[in-house]
Coordinates of all heavy atoms in Angstrom, one line a residue:
I20 N 202.5 9.3 -13.7 CA 202.4 10.0 -12.4 C 201.3 9.3 -11.6 O 200.2 9.1 -12.1 CB 202.2 11.5 -12.4 CG1 203.4 12.2 -13.1 CG2 202.1 12.0 -11.0 CD1 203.2 13.7 -13.2
H21 N 201.5 9.0 -10.3 CA 200.5 8.5 -9.5 C 199.5 9.6 -9.1 O 200.0 10.7 -8.7 CB 201.0 7.9 -8.2 CG 201.7 6.6 -8.3 ND1 202.2 5.9 -7.2 CD2 202.1 5.9 -9.4 CE1 202.7 4.8 -7.6 NE2 202.7 4.7 -9.0
P22 N 198.2 9.4 -9.1 CA 197.4 10.5 -8.7 C 197.3 10.5 -7.1 O 197.8 9.6 -6.5 CB 196.0 10.0 -9.2 CG 196.1 8.5 -9.2 CD 197.5 8.2 -9.6
A23 N 196.8 11.5 -6.6 CA 196.6 11.6 -5.1 C 195.6 10.4 -4.7 O 194.6 10.3 -5.3 CB 195.9 12.9 -4.8
A24 N 196.1 9.7 -3.7 CA 195.3 8.5 -3.3 C 195.4 8.3 -1.8 O 195.9 7.3 -1.3 CB 195.8 7.2 -4.0
P25 N 194.9 9.2 -1.0 CA 195.0 9.1 0.4 C 194.2 7.9 0.9 O 193.1 7.6 0.4 CB 194.4 10.4 1.0 CG 193.5 10.9 -0.1 CD 194.2 10.5 -1.4
N26 N 194.7 7.2 1.9 CA 194.0 6.0 2.4 C 192.6 6.4 3.1 O 191.8 5.5 3.3 CB 194.8 5.3 3.4 CG 195.9 4.4 2.8 OD1 195.7 3.9 1.6 ND2 197.0 4.2 3.4
G27 N 192.4 7.6 3.4 CA 191.1 8.0 4.0 C 190.0 8.2 2.9 O 188.9 8.6 3.2
C28 N 190.4 7.9 1.6 CA 189.5 8.2 0.5 C 188.5 7.1 0.3 O 188.6 6.3 -0.6 CB 190.4 8.3 -0.8 SG 189.6 9.1 -2.1
V29 N 187.6 7.0 1.3 CA 186.7 5.8 1.4 C 185.2 6.1 1.1 O 184.4 5.2 1.1 CB 186.8 5.1 2.8 CG1 188.2 4.5 3.0 CG2 186.5 6.1 3.9
D30 N 184.9 7.4 0.9 CA 183.5 7.7 0.7 C 183.5 8.7 -0.5 O 184.5 9.3 -0.9 CB 182.8 8.3 1.9 CG 183.5 9.4 2.5 OD1 184.1 10.2 1.8 OD2 183.5 9.6 3.8
Q31 N 182.2 9.0 -0.9 CA 182.0 9.9 -2.1 C 182.7 11.3 -1.8 O 183.2 11.9 -2.7 CB 180.6 10.0 -2.5 CG 180.4 10.7 -3.8 CD 181.2 10.2 -4.9 OE1 181.3 8.9 -5.1 NE2 181.8 11.0 -5.7
S32 N 182.5 11.8 -0.6 CA 182.9 13.1 -0.3 C 184.4 13.2 -0.4 O 185.0 14.2 -1.0 CB 182.4 13.6 1.1 OG 183.0 14.8 1.5
S33 N 185.2 12.2 0.2 CA 186.6 12.3 0.2 C 187.1 12.0 -1.2 O 188.1 12.6 -1.6 CB 187.2 11.3 1.2 OG 186.7 10.0 1.0
R34 N 186.5 11.1 -2.0 CA 186.9 10.9 -3.3 C 186.7 12.1 -4.2 O 187.5 12.4 -5.1 CB 186.1 9.7 -3.9 CG 186.5 8.3 -3.4 CD 186.0 7.2 -4.3 NE 186.4 5.9 -3.8 CZ 185.7 5.1 -3.1 NH1 184.4 5.4 -2.8 NH2 186.2 3.9 -2.7
S35 N 185.6 12.8 -4.0 CA 185.4 14.1 -4.7 C 186.5 15.1 -4.4 O 186.9 15.8 -5.3 CB 184.0 14.6 -4.4 OG 183.8 15.8 -5.0
K36 N 186.9 15.2 -3.2 CA 187.9 16.1 -2.8 C 189.2 15.7 -3.5 O 190.0 16.6 -4.0 CB 188.1 16.1 -1.3 CG 189.2 17.1 -0.8 CD 189.3 17.1 0.7 CE 190.5 18.0 1.1 NZ 190.7 17.9 2.6
A37 N 189.6 14.4 -3.4 CA 190.8 13.9 -4.1 C 190.7 14.2 -5.6 O 191.8 14.5 -6.2 CB 191.0 12.4 -3.8
F38 N 189.6 14.0 -6.2 CA 189.4 14.2 -7.6 C 189.8 15.7 -8.0 O 190.5 16.0 -8.9 CB 188.0 13.9 -8.1 CG 187.7 14.1 -9.5 CD1 187.9 13.1 -10.4 CD2 187.3 15.4 -10.0 CE1 187.7 13.4 -11.8 CE2 187.0 15.6 -11.3 CZ 187.2 14.6 -12.2
D39 N 189.3 16.6 -7.2 CA 189.5 18.0 -7.4 C 191.0 18.3 -7.2 O 191.6 19.2 -8.0 CB 188.7 18.9 -6.5 CG 187.2 18.8 -6.8 OD1 186.8 18.4 -7.9 OD2 186.4 19.2 -5.9
I40 N 191.6 17.7 -6.3 CA 193.1 17.9 -6.0 C 193.9 17.4 -7.2 O 194.8 18.1 -7.7 CB 193.5 17.2 -4.7 CG1 192.9 17.9 -3.5 CG2 195.1 17.1 -4.7 CD1 193.1 17.1 -2.2
N41 N 193.5 16.3 -7.7 CA 194.2 15.7 -8.9 C 194.1 16.6 -10.1 O 195.1 16.9 -10.8 CB 193.7 14.3 -9.2 CG 194.2 13.2 -8.3 OD1 195.4 13.3 -8.0 ND2 193.4 12.3 -7.9
V42 N 192.8 17.1 -10.4 CA 192.6 17.9 -11.6 C 193.5 19.2 -11.5 O 194.2 19.6 -12.4 CB 191.2 18.3 -11.8 CG1 191.0 19.3 -12.9 CG2 190.4 17.0 -12.2
A43 N 193.5 19.8 -10.3 CA 194.2 21.1 -10.1 C 195.7 20.8 -10.2 O 196.4 21.6 -10.9 CB 193.9 21.7 -8.8
R44 N 196.3 19.8 -9.6 CA 197.7 19.5 -9.6 C 198.2 19.1 -11.0 O 199.2 19.6 -11.5 CB 198.0 18.5 -8.6 CG 198.0 19.2 -7.2 CD 198.2 18.1 -6.1 NE 199.6 17.7 -6.0 CZ 200.6 18.4 -5.5 NH1 200.4 19.6 -5.0 NH2 201.8 17.9 -5.5
F45 N 197.4 18.2 -11.7 CA 197.8 17.9 -13.0 C 197.7 19.0 -14.0 O 198.6 19.3 -14.8 CB 196.9 16.7 -13.5 CG 197.3 15.4 -13.0 CD1 196.4 14.6 -12.3 CD2 198.6 14.9 -13.1 CE1 196.7 13.4 -11.7 CE2 199.0 13.6 -12.6 CZ 198.0 12.9 -11.9
K46 N 196.7 19.9 -13.8 CA 196.5 21.0 -14.7 C 197.7 22.0 -14.6 O 198.1 22.5 -15.6 CB 195.2 21.7 -14.4 CG 194.7 22.6 -15.5 CD 194.2 21.8 -16.7 CE 193.6 22.7 -17.8 NZ 193.2 21.9 -19.0
S47 N 198.3 22.1 -13.4 CA 199.3 23.0 -13.2 C 200.6 22.5 -13.9 O 201.5 23.3 -14.2 CB 199.7 23.1 -11.7 OG 200.3 22.0 -11.2
L48 N 200.7 21.2 -14.3 CA 201.8 20.7 -15.0 C 201.7 20.8 -16.5 O 202.6 20.5 -17.2 CB 202.1 19.2 -14.6 CG 202.4 19.0 -13.1 CD1 202.4 17.5 -12.8 CD2 203.8 19.7 -12.8
Q49 N 200.5 21.1 -17.0 CA 200.2 21.1 -18.4 C 201.1 22.1 -19.2 O 201.6 21.6 -20.2 CB 198.8 21.5 -18.7 CG 198.4 21.4 -20.1 CD 196.9 21.7 -20.4 OE1 196.1 21.5 -19.5 NE2 196.5 22.3 -21.5
P50 N 201.4 23.3 -18.7 CA 202.3 24.2 -19.6 C 203.7 23.5 -19.7 O 204.2 23.6 -20.9 CB 202.3 25.4 -18.7 CG 201.1 25.5 -17.9 CD 200.8 24.1 -17.6
C51 N 204.2 22.9 -18.7 CA 205.5 22.3 -18.8 C 205.5 21.1 -19.8 O 206.4 20.9 -20.6 CB 206.0 21.9 -17.5 SG 207.7 21.2 -17.5
A52 N 204.4 20.3 -19.7 CA 204.2 19.1 -20.6 C 204.1 19.6 -22.1 O 204.6 19.0 -23.0 CB 203.0 18.3 -20.2
E53 N 203.4 20.7 -22.3 CA 203.2 21.2 -23.6 C 204.6 21.7 -24.2 O 204.9 21.4 -25.4 CB 202.2 22.3 -23.6 CG 200.8 21.9 -23.3 CD 199.8 23.1 -23.3 OE1 200.2 24.2 -23.1 OE2 198.6 22.8 -23.4
E54 N 205.3 22.5 -23.3 CA 206.5 23.0 -23.8 C 207.6 21.9 -24.2 O 208.3 22.1 -25.2 CB 207.2 23.9 -22.7 CG 208.5 24.5 -23.1 CD 209.1 25.4 -22.0 OE1 208.4 25.7 -21.0 OE2 210.2 25.9 -22.2
H55 N 207.5 20.8 -23.5 CA 208.5 19.7 -23.7 C 207.9 18.5 -24.4 O 208.6 17.5 -24.5 CB 209.2 19.4 -22.4 CG 209.9 20.6 -21.8 ND1 211.1 20.9 -22.2 CD2 209.5 21.5 -20.9 CE1 211.5 22.0 -21.5 NE2 210.6 22.3 -20.7
D56 N 206.7 18.6 -24.9 CA 206.1 17.6 -25.7 C 206.0 16.2 -25.0 O 206.5 15.2 -25.5 CB 206.8 17.4 -27.1 CG 205.9 16.5 -28.1 OD1 204.7 16.5 -27.9 OD2 206.6 15.9 -28.9
V57 N 205.6 16.3 -23.8 CA 205.4 15.1 -23.0 C 204.0 14.9 -22.6 O 203.2 15.8 -22.4 CB 206.3 15.2 -21.7 CG1 206.0 14.1 -20.7 CG2 207.8 15.2 -22.0

């Protein structure tokens, strides 16, 4: 899966925001991945 990568992600503040978005969105998929061994 591609992570969130907005073109405005050019400084530490925007990268930090994108990082938090990625962690939250990937984490929400963890139960499904666990259930189906992916």
Side-chain angles (χ1 to χ4, degrees):
I20 300 183
H21 287 187
N26 280 333
C28 197
V29 296
D30 55 35
Q31 188 55 45
S32 175
S33 56
R34 285 197 178 100
S35 178
K36 180 181 178 181
F38 179 88
D39 292 343
I40 289 169
N41 280 319
V42 171
R44 287 176 67 77
F45 283 123
K46 198 71 175 175
S47 73
L48 295 171
Q49 183 176 332
C51 184
E53 288 175 344
E54 180 179 354
H55 297 282
D56 192 24
V57 170

